[in-house]
């Protein structure tokens, strides 16, 4: 059973960089066949895909966030990470990591982490 | 961008009721439509993919139908565990946009 777990600071100051890591267990990122995504949910709102990475390091970002987003992968640790720069209060959200099976659709999310709330405030 | 619109936004129902949620896409997405269930403080859970395929382990009282731009999620007999928010999502094109959600409440 694949499990994903987000970790990182719960509070970030405006204009700084939000950094989160997702640790995958029960399966290897480097085995291929899956995209590894970050998704966020603003308080009481809907879901927004941020971007994904393949084990090879190939990335694809939501155009609305592309200028501020970097996703990276560390296959030796079975982790992938999110950096979102120049954050504002509008970036306050629950951030999820999730997996997409490549053969079923790049954006079909079959396993999710439990989510972590990141608040942007001074 | 493909916009996804769900109706209703909130639905009040009783245990045992048959419940139907509608999702409309702003352009054709063929059958590239998924449904998720989310409970408070939890991550979304995949229920249905490719419009009508039931994810492994999901009870058979959940079903999905539709293609093109109109889709429905049906719960044949609502159970206490089903009170939650449901999201549709298109995964036909980039960013995989979600609907705004339908909250199923206890009547």
């Amino acid at each position: 059973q694949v499990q994903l777990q987000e970790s990182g600071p719960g509070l970030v100051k405006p204009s700084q960089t939000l950094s989160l890591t997702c640790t995958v267990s029960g399966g290897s990122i480097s085995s291929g066949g899956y995209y590894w995504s970050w998704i966020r949910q603003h308080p009481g709102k809907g879901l927004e895909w941020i971007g994904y990475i393949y084990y090879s390091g190939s990335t694809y970002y939501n155009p609305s966030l592309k200028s501020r987003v970097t996703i990276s992968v560390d296959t030796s640790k079975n982790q992938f990470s999110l950096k979102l720069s120049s954050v504002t209060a509008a970036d306050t959200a629950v951030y999820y990591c999730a997996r997409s099976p490549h053969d079923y659709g790049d954006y079909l999310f079959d396993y999710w982490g439990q989510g972590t709330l990141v608040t942007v405030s001074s | 961008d493909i916009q996804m619109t769900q109706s209703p936004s909130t639905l009040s129902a009783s245990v045992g009721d048959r419940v139907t949620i509608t999702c409309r896409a702003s352009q054709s997405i063929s059958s590239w439509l998924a449904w998720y269930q989310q409970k408070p403080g939890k991550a979304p859970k995949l229920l249905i993919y490719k419009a009508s395929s039931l994810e492994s382990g999901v009870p058979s009282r959940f079903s999905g139908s539709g293609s093109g731009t109109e889709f429905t999620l049906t719960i044949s007999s609502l159970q206490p565990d089903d009170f939650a928010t449901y999201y549709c999502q298109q995964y036909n094109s980039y960013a995989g946009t979600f609907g705004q959600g339908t909250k199923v409440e206890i009547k």
Side-chain angles (χ1 to χ4, degrees):
Chain A
Q1 178 84 350
V2 173
Q3 293 186 316
L4 295 86
Q5 175 76 54
E6 305 89 350
S7 59
L11 181 64
V12 181
K13 289 181 168 51
S15 79
Q16 293 192 342
T17 296
L18 177 160
S19 296
L20 296 173
T21 295
C22 181
T23 301
V24 178
S25 57
S28 174
I29 288 177
S30 59
S31 64
Y34 302 98
Y35 291 109
W36 303 93
S37 284
W38 287 98
I39 299 159
R40 70 180 182 179
Q41 185 170 34
H42 295 101
K45 301 290 186 181
L47 295 146
E48 178 184 33
W49 174 78
I50 298 169
Y52 67 55
I53 192 163
Y54 196 52
Y55 80 97
S56 61
S58 298
T59 55
Y60 193 41
Y61 302 138
N62 190 323
S64 68
L65 296 166
K66 184 177 181 179
S67 63
R68 299 194 291 131
V69 172
T70 302
I71 298 176
S72 58
V73 65
D74 186 337
T75 55
S76 68
K77 295 181 179 179
N78 220 31
Q79 296 175 334
F80 63 106
S81 298
L82 169 71
K83 291 188 186 301
L84 181 66
S85 63
S86 306
V87 297
T88 69
D91 294 308
T92 293
V94 175
Y95 286 76
Y96 296 98
C97 55
R99 185 187 84 164
S100 300
H102 183 273
D103 288 346
Y104 285 81
D106 298 359
Y107 309 99
L108 179 68
F109 307 111
D110 62 351
Y111 284 95
W112 298 62
Q114 87 281 6
T116 187
L117 175 63
V118 178
T119 302
V120 178
S121 174
S122 56
Chain B
D1 289 9
I2 299 177
Q3 308 301 319
M4 306 301 292
T5 304
Q6 290 180 235
S7 60
S9 297
T10 306
L11 188 159
S12 296
S14 302
V15 172
D17 284 354
R18 181 182 181 87
V19 166
T20 299
I21 299 169
T22 298
C23 178
R24 288 185 175 87
S26 60
Q27 65 189 72
S28 178
I29 57 170
S30 185
S31 296
W32 304 112
L33 191 282
W35 290 96
Y36 299 84
Q37 176 193 66
Q38 187 177 34
K39 296 181 178 178
K42 301 293 187 181
K45 173 188 174 184
L46 177 63
L47 299 176
I48 287 170
Y49 62 96
K50 211 167 181 185
S52 61
S53 296
L54 203 64
E55 176 70 345
S56 177
V58 174
S60 59
R61 62 181 180 271
F62 291 93
S63 65
S65 65
S67 66
T69 61
E70 294 245 352
F71 302 87
T72 58
L73 171 70
T74 299
I75 309 172
S76 60
S77 178
L78 197 66
Q79 297 302 301
D81 191 48
D82 301 337
F83 291 97
T85 300
Y86 293 84
Y87 292 93
C88 64
Q89 181 219 5
Q90 68 81 16
Y91 56 102
N92 176 68
S93 71
Y94 72 80
T97 46
F98 292 83
Q100 81 281 13
T102 295
K103 186 175 183 179
V104 177
E105 296 181 328
I106 300 173
K107 191 173 185 177

